[in-house]
């Protein structure tokens, strides 16, 4: 492995996911999303963009994961971006950085069709889209 992407669609990054990413003993890029809720009439609408508090929350999550990885002696850096299309953005970032694997925390897979519309199922969409292995650290309720 030359680089690992530790990604989140906005959920807290659990220690289990950080531990799993650290196992590769490769530089880790921590990447989190601040959700953009859409557009109004095809134009960006400030009411649908992430709030300052949402941005700060995501930056704090990324910062904690980066610090944890650096304590283990790994090279780590982080980034937060806003997007409406989480899976596409995560896969694109992995490709841009030349990552060999993506690690994400995930909820249990929902068996019903509507699960594809749920933001919490974004890790499974990343797995379907990615051209590199995607390791999901499943969180039980």
């Amino acid at each position: 492995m030359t680089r690992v992407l530790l990604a989140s669609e906005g959920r807290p990054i659990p220690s289990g996911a950080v531990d799993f990413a650290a196992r590769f003993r490769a530089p880790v890029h921590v990447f989190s999303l601040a959700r953009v809720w859409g557009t109004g009439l095809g134009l960006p609408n400030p009411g649908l963009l992430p709030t300052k508090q949402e941005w700060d929350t995501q930056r704090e999550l990324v910062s904690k994961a980066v610090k944890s990885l650096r304590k283990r002696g790994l090279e780590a850096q982080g980034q937060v971006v806003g997007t409406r299309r989480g899976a596409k953005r995560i896969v694109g970032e992995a490709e841009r950085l030349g990552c060999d694997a993506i690690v994400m925390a995930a909820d249990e897979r929902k068996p019903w069709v509507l699960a594809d519309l749920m933001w919490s199922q974004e890790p499974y969409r990343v797995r379907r889209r990615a051209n590199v292995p995607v390791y999901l650290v499943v969180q039980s309720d």
Side-chain angles (χ1 to χ4, degrees), residues 1-6 24 26-27 29 93-103 130-135:
M1 291 271 165
T2 58
R3 181 174 289 278
V4 174
L5 183 69
L6 174 57
F24 293 107
H29 185 81
E93 189 68 10
E95 290 172 356
R96 185 183 75 78
L97 293 171
C99 294
D100 298 313
I102 300 171
V103 177
N131 295 323
V132 296
V134 177
Y135 300 97

Side-chain angles (χ1 to χ4, degrees), residues 23 40 55-56 63 74 78 117 122:
R23 288 185 200 165
W55 282 107
D56 291 344
S63 176
L74 294 172
L117 303 174
E122 205 68 16

Side-chain angles (χ1 to χ4, degrees), residues 84-137:
R84 287 181 22 203
R85 294 180 173 83
K88 182 177 180 180
R89 194 69 190 259
I90 290 169
V91 171
E93 189 68 10
E95 290 172 356
R96 185 183 75 78
L97 293 171
C99 294
D100 298 313
I102 300 171
V103 177
M104 294 183 75
D107 291 339
E108 295 282 335
R109 178 82 172 131
K110 303 288 187 220
W112 11 287
V113 176
L114 291 178
D116 264 358
L117 303 174
M118 297 169 60
W119 188 256
S120 66
Q121 296 297 296
E122 205 68 16
Y124 294 96
R125 287 188 280 282
V126 169
R127 180 184 270 172
R128 285 195 303 268
R129 292 183 82 127
N131 295 323
V132 296
V134 177
Y135 300 97
L136 302 180
V137 179

Side-chain angles (χ1 to χ4, degrees), residues 63-81:
S63 176
K64 285 180 183 177
V66 168
K67 285 178 188 174
S68 179
L69 289 161
R70 287 182 179 164
K71 282 182 184 177
R72 299 162 196 233
L74 294 172
E75 179 184 329
Q77 59 185 352
Q79 178 182 8
V80 178
V81 298

